[in-house]
Short mmCIF file of all heavy atoms in Angstrom, two decimals:
data_model
loop_
_atom_site.label_atom_id
_atom_site.label_comp_id
_atom_site.label_asym_id
_atom_site.label_seq_id
_atom_site.Cartn_x
_atom_site.Cartn_y
_atom_site.Cartn_z
N ALA Z 1 46.09 -40.73 4.94
CA ALA Z 1 45.18 -40.22 3.98
C ALA Z 1 43.83 -39.78 4.60
O ALA Z 1 43.27 -38.71 4.33
CB ALA Z 1 44.92 -41.18 2.79
N ALA Z 2 43.33 -40.65 5.64
CA ALA Z 2 42.17 -40.32 6.33
C ALA Z 2 42.36 -39.06 7.13
O ALA Z 2 41.45 -38.11 7.18
CB ALA Z 2 41.81 -41.49 7.18
N ARG Z 3 43.46 -38.84 7.77
CA ARG Z 3 43.71 -37.67 8.66
C ARG Z 3 43.77 -36.46 7.72
O ARG Z 3 43.15 -35.41 8.08
CB ARG Z 3 45.04 -37.85 9.39
CG ARG Z 3 45.34 -36.59 10.30
CD ARG Z 3 46.47 -36.85 11.17
NE ARG Z 3 46.27 -37.86 12.21
CZ ARG Z 3 45.53 -37.57 13.27
NH1 ARG Z 3 44.98 -36.42 13.58
NH2 ARG Z 3 45.29 -38.61 14.18
N MET Z 4 44.38 -36.51 6.57
CA MET Z 4 44.49 -35.39 5.65
C MET Z 4 43.11 -35.09 5.08
O MET Z 4 42.73 -33.92 4.84
CB MET Z 4 45.48 -35.72 4.59
CG MET Z 4 46.97 -35.66 5.08
SD MET Z 4 48.17 -35.77 3.79
CE MET Z 4 48.21 -37.52 3.47
N LEU Z 5 42.30 -36.10 4.91
CA LEU Z 5 40.93 -35.84 4.34
C LEU Z 5 40.15 -34.96 5.40
O LEU Z 5 39.39 -34.07 4.95
CB LEU Z 5 40.25 -37.20 4.07
CG LEU Z 5 38.86 -37.11 3.50
CD1 LEU Z 5 38.88 -36.57 2.11
CD2 LEU Z 5 38.23 -38.48 3.48
N PHE Z 6 40.27 -35.30 6.66
CA PHE Z 6 39.49 -34.57 7.70
C PHE Z 6 40.05 -33.23 8.06
O PHE Z 6 39.38 -32.30 8.34
CB PHE Z 6 39.36 -35.42 8.92
CG PHE Z 6 38.36 -36.54 8.81
CD1 PHE Z 6 38.76 -37.90 8.77
CD2 PHE Z 6 36.99 -36.26 8.76
CE1 PHE Z 6 37.82 -38.88 8.59
CE2 PHE Z 6 36.01 -37.29 8.60
CZ PHE Z 6 36.46 -38.64 8.55
N THR Z 7 41.38 -33.15 8.00
CA THR Z 7 42.02 -31.83 8.41
C THR Z 7 42.35 -30.95 7.31
O THR Z 7 42.39 -29.68 7.54
CB THR Z 7 43.34 -32.16 9.17
OG1 THR Z 7 44.30 -32.77 8.27
CG2 THR Z 7 43.12 -33.10 10.39
N GLY Z 8 42.51 -31.43 6.14
CA GLY Z 8 42.92 -30.55 5.00
C GLY Z 8 44.38 -30.19 5.15
O GLY Z 8 44.90 -29.24 4.35
N GLN Z 9 45.11 -30.77 6.07
CA GLN Z 9 46.46 -30.45 6.33
C GLN Z 9 47.42 -31.62 6.03
O GLN Z 9 47.02 -32.75 6.22
CB GLN Z 9 46.74 -29.98 7.72
CG GLN Z 9 45.89 -28.73 8.21
CD GLN Z 9 46.30 -27.55 7.40
OE1 GLN Z 9 47.45 -27.30 7.17
NE2 GLN Z 9 45.23 -26.79 6.95
N PRO Z 10 48.64 -31.38 5.55
CA PRO Z 10 49.62 -32.48 5.22
C PRO Z 10 50.00 -33.21 6.53
O PRO Z 10 50.02 -32.60 7.59
CB PRO Z 10 50.75 -31.82 4.52
CG PRO Z 10 50.66 -30.37 4.96
CD PRO Z 10 49.23 -30.05 5.19
N VAL Z 11 50.25 -34.46 6.32
CA VAL Z 11 50.83 -35.27 7.48
C VAL Z 11 52.30 -35.64 7.17
O VAL Z 11 52.60 -36.15 6.11
CB VAL Z 11 49.98 -36.58 7.66
CG1 VAL Z 11 50.71 -37.56 8.60
CG2 VAL Z 11 48.60 -36.30 8.09
N GLU Z 12 53.17 -35.28 8.12
CA GLU Z 12 54.62 -35.42 7.87
C GLU Z 12 55.05 -36.82 8.25
O GLU Z 12 55.99 -37.41 7.70
CB GLU Z 12 55.37 -34.44 8.72
CG GLU Z 12 55.09 -32.94 8.37
CD GLU Z 12 55.46 -32.63 6.87
OE1 GLU Z 12 56.43 -33.24 6.38
OE2 GLU Z 12 54.77 -31.77 6.28
N GLU Z 13 54.39 -37.43 9.22
CA GLU Z 13 54.84 -38.74 9.81
C GLU Z 13 53.60 -39.46 10.34
O GLU Z 13 52.75 -38.88 10.96
CB GLU Z 13 55.92 -38.55 10.80
CG GLU Z 13 56.49 -39.81 11.35
CD GLU Z 13 57.62 -39.53 12.37
OE1 GLU Z 13 57.26 -39.26 13.53
OE2 GLU Z 13 58.82 -39.64 11.92
N VAL Z 14 53.63 -40.85 10.12
CA VAL Z 14 52.60 -41.65 10.62
C VAL Z 14 53.16 -42.54 11.70
O VAL Z 14 54.21 -43.11 11.55
CB VAL Z 14 51.97 -42.54 9.50
CG1 VAL Z 14 50.93 -43.50 10.08
CG2 VAL Z 14 51.42 -41.66 8.40
N ARG Z 15 52.40 -42.65 12.84
CA ARG Z 15 52.75 -43.60 13.87
C ARG Z 15 51.85 -44.83 13.80
O ARG Z 15 50.62 -44.69 13.91
CB ARG Z 15 52.66 -42.93 15.26
CG ARG Z 15 53.12 -43.85 16.40
CD ARG Z 15 52.89 -43.06 17.74
NE ARG Z 15 53.54 -43.79 18.87
CZ ARG Z 15 53.01 -44.76 19.55
NH1 ARG Z 15 51.82 -45.31 19.20
NH2 ARG Z 15 53.67 -45.33 20.50
N LEU Z 16 52.48 -46.01 13.56
CA LEU Z 16 51.63 -47.22 13.41
C LEU Z 16 52.23 -48.28 14.39
O LEU Z 16 53.38 -48.59 14.34
CB LEU Z 16 51.80 -47.70 12.00
CG LEU Z 16 51.02 -49.00 11.72
CD1 LEU Z 16 49.49 -48.78 11.54
CD2 LEU Z 16 51.53 -49.69 10.43
N THR Z 17 51.33 -48.79 15.28
CA THR Z 17 51.67 -49.91 16.07
C THR Z 17 51.28 -51.18 15.38
O THR Z 17 50.12 -51.46 15.07
CB THR Z 17 50.95 -49.80 17.43
OG1 THR Z 17 51.33 -48.58 18.04
CG2 THR Z 17 51.40 -50.95 18.35
N THR Z 18 52.28 -52.07 15.12
CA THR Z 18 52.08 -53.24 14.37
C THR Z 18 51.45 -54.35 15.30
O THR Z 18 51.61 -54.22 16.54
CB THR Z 18 53.43 -53.78 13.79
OG1 THR Z 18 54.28 -54.06 14.86
CG2 THR Z 18 54.04 -52.75 12.82
N PRO Z 19 50.84 -55.38 14.78
CA PRO Z 19 50.37 -56.49 15.59
C PRO Z 19 51.48 -57.10 16.46
O PRO Z 19 51.22 -57.66 17.48
CB PRO Z 19 49.85 -57.46 14.59
CG PRO Z 19 49.41 -56.63 13.39
CD PRO Z 19 50.44 -55.57 13.35
N LYS Z 20 52.71 -57.06 16.00
CA LYS Z 20 53.90 -57.59 16.77
C LYS Z 20 54.19 -56.71 17.97
O LYS Z 20 54.95 -57.03 18.86
CB LYS Z 20 55.07 -57.71 15.86
CG LYS Z 20 56.15 -58.60 16.45
CD LYS Z 20 57.34 -58.77 15.44
CE LYS Z 20 58.42 -59.65 16.04
NZ LYS Z 20 57.96 -61.05 16.12
N GLY Z 21 53.63 -55.49 17.99
CA GLY Z 21 53.93 -54.57 19.03
C GLY Z 21 55.00 -53.50 18.83
O GLY Z 21 55.27 -52.62 19.61
N ILE Z 22 55.54 -53.70 17.63
CA ILE Z 22 56.68 -52.71 17.24
C ILE Z 22 56.06 -51.53 16.65
O ILE Z 22 55.16 -51.59 15.77
CB ILE Z 22 57.64 -53.39 16.24
CG1 ILE Z 22 58.40 -54.54 16.90
CG2 ILE Z 22 58.58 -52.39 15.67
CD1 ILE Z 22 59.28 -55.35 15.99
N VAL Z 23 56.52 -50.35 17.10
CA VAL Z 23 55.96 -49.03 16.58
C VAL Z 23 56.76 -48.57 15.38
O VAL Z 23 57.99 -48.45 15.53
CB VAL Z 23 55.94 -47.97 17.74
CG1 VAL Z 23 55.35 -46.67 17.19
CG2 VAL Z 23 55.02 -48.46 18.92
N LEU Z 24 56.08 -48.27 14.36
CA LEU Z 24 56.72 -47.74 13.16
C LEU Z 24 56.49 -46.24 12.99
O LEU Z 24 55.35 -45.81 13.31
CB LEU Z 24 56.26 -48.45 11.88
CG LEU Z 24 56.44 -49.92 11.86
CD1 LEU Z 24 55.80 -50.50 10.56
CD2 LEU Z 24 57.89 -50.31 11.96
N PHE Z 25 57.43 -45.49 12.55
CA PHE Z 25 57.25 -44.07 12.23
C PHE Z 25 57.57 -43.96 10.72
O PHE Z 25 58.67 -44.02 10.29
CB PHE Z 25 58.15 -43.22 13.10
CG PHE Z 25 57.86 -43.38 14.55
CD1 PHE Z 25 58.56 -44.25 15.29
CD2 PHE Z 25 56.85 -42.48 15.11
CE1 PHE Z 25 58.24 -44.32 16.67
CE2 PHE Z 25 56.56 -42.63 16.50
CZ PHE Z 25 57.25 -43.53 17.29
N LEU Z 26 56.54 -43.73 9.94
CA LEU Z 26 56.64 -43.83 8.50
C LEU Z 26 56.17 -42.50 7.87
O LEU Z 26 55.27 -41.78 8.35
CB LEU Z 26 55.75 -44.95 7.95
CG LEU Z 26 55.97 -46.29 8.60
CD1 LEU Z 26 54.94 -47.31 8.09
CD2 LEU Z 26 57.40 -46.79 8.19
N GLU Z 27 56.86 -42.21 6.70
CA GLU Z 27 56.66 -40.95 6.04
C GLU Z 27 55.80 -41.05 4.77
O GLU Z 27 56.15 -41.74 3.91
CB GLU Z 27 57.98 -40.32 5.64
CG GLU Z 27 57.87 -38.97 4.93
CD GLU Z 27 59.28 -38.46 4.51
OE1 GLU Z 27 60.33 -39.07 4.98
OE2 GLU Z 27 59.32 -37.49 3.72
N PRO Z 28 54.63 -40.40 4.76
CA PRO Z 28 53.78 -40.47 3.60
C PRO Z 28 54.51 -39.83 2.42
O PRO Z 28 55.24 -38.78 2.51
CB PRO Z 28 52.54 -39.70 3.96
CG PRO Z 28 52.53 -39.66 5.49
CD PRO Z 28 53.97 -39.69 5.92
N ALA Z 29 54.27 -40.38 1.22
CA ALA Z 29 54.87 -39.83 -0.02
C ALA Z 29 53.79 -39.67 -1.07
O ALA Z 29 52.75 -40.25 -0.97
CB ALA Z 29 55.98 -40.83 -0.51
N ASP Z 30 54.06 -38.87 -2.03
CA ASP Z 30 53.26 -38.64 -3.23
C ASP Z 30 51.86 -38.35 -2.84
O ASP Z 30 50.86 -39.06 -3.27
CB ASP Z 30 53.29 -39.88 -4.21
CG ASP Z 30 52.69 -39.62 -5.55
OD1 ASP Z 30 52.59 -38.39 -5.89
OD2 ASP Z 30 52.34 -40.58 -6.25
N VAL Z 31 51.68 -37.31 -1.98
CA VAL Z 31 50.36 -36.97 -1.48
C VAL Z 31 49.53 -36.29 -2.59
O VAL Z 31 50.06 -35.36 -3.29
CB VAL Z 31 50.38 -36.03 -0.28
CG1 VAL Z 31 49.02 -35.62 0.18
CG2 VAL Z 31 51.15 -36.75 0.85
N ARG Z 32 48.28 -36.73 -2.84
CA ARG Z 32 47.49 -36.09 -3.87
C ARG Z 32 46.13 -35.85 -3.38
O ARG Z 32 45.50 -36.65 -2.68
CB ARG Z 32 47.34 -37.08 -5.04
CG ARG Z 32 48.72 -37.53 -5.68
CD ARG Z 32 48.50 -38.39 -6.82
NE ARG Z 32 49.76 -38.91 -7.36
CZ ARG Z 32 49.91 -39.67 -8.45
NH1 ARG Z 32 48.85 -40.00 -9.20
NH2 ARG Z 32 51.12 -40.01 -8.83
N TRP Z 33 45.66 -34.57 -3.60
CA TRP Z 33 44.40 -34.04 -3.09
C TRP Z 33 43.52 -33.95 -4.35
O TRP Z 33 43.88 -33.56 -5.37
CB TRP Z 33 44.56 -32.69 -2.51
CG TRP Z 33 45.56 -32.56 -1.40
CD1 TRP Z 33 46.89 -32.49 -1.57
CD2 TRP Z 33 45.32 -32.59 -0.05
NE1 TRP Z 33 47.50 -32.44 -0.33
CE2 TRP Z 33 46.61 -32.46 0.66
CE3 TRP Z 33 44.11 -32.70 0.76
CZ2 TRP Z 33 46.67 -32.42 1.99
CZ3 TRP Z 33 44.25 -32.61 2.15
CH2 TRP Z 33 45.53 -32.48 2.74
N ASP Z 34 42.24 -34.43 -4.15
CA ASP Z 34 41.26 -34.34 -5.23
C ASP Z 34 39.95 -33.84 -4.50
O ASP Z 34 39.88 -33.90 -3.30
CB ASP Z 34 41.13 -35.60 -5.94
CG ASP Z 34 40.47 -35.46 -7.35
OD1 ASP Z 34 40.08 -34.35 -7.63
OD2 ASP Z 34 40.53 -36.43 -8.15
N SER Z 35 38.99 -33.55 -5.30
CA SER Z 35 37.65 -33.17 -4.79
C SER Z 35 37.06 -34.34 -3.99
O SER Z 35 36.70 -35.31 -4.59
CB SER Z 35 36.76 -32.69 -5.84
OG SER Z 35 36.56 -33.67 -6.75
N GLY Z 36 37.10 -34.23 -2.70
CA GLY Z 36 36.47 -35.25 -1.88
C GLY Z 36 37.32 -36.52 -1.56
O GLY Z 36 36.79 -37.47 -0.97
N SER Z 37 38.63 -36.52 -1.88
CA SER Z 37 39.46 -37.67 -1.65
C SER Z 37 40.95 -37.17 -1.48
O SER Z 37 41.30 -36.11 -1.94
CB SER Z 37 39.40 -38.72 -2.74
OG SER Z 37 40.03 -38.19 -3.95
N VAL Z 38 41.69 -38.06 -0.78
CA VAL Z 38 43.12 -37.81 -0.61
C VAL Z 38 43.83 -39.16 -0.79
O VAL Z 38 43.25 -40.23 -0.35
CB VAL Z 38 43.43 -37.31 0.79
CG1 VAL Z 38 44.96 -37.12 1.05
CG2 VAL Z 38 42.75 -35.96 1.03
N SER Z 39 44.92 -39.16 -1.42
CA SER Z 39 45.70 -40.41 -1.54
C SER Z 39 47.11 -40.12 -1.20
O SER Z 39 47.69 -38.98 -1.37
CB SER Z 39 45.66 -41.11 -2.92
OG SER Z 39 46.42 -40.31 -3.87
N CYS Z 40 47.84 -41.14 -0.70
CA CYS Z 40 49.26 -41.00 -0.40
C CYS Z 40 49.90 -42.43 -0.37
O CYS Z 40 49.15 -43.42 -0.43
CB CYS Z 40 49.53 -40.29 0.95
SG CYS Z 40 48.95 -41.24 2.37
#
């Protein structure tokens, strides 16, 4: 949501490194744009 707020562009996939060190590749769903905010 933060990336989409700054870029104005959709994000297809998120790369997240967990505290355990395992890398997750996750897909944002239900993206909603509003004036001054983004949620997913």
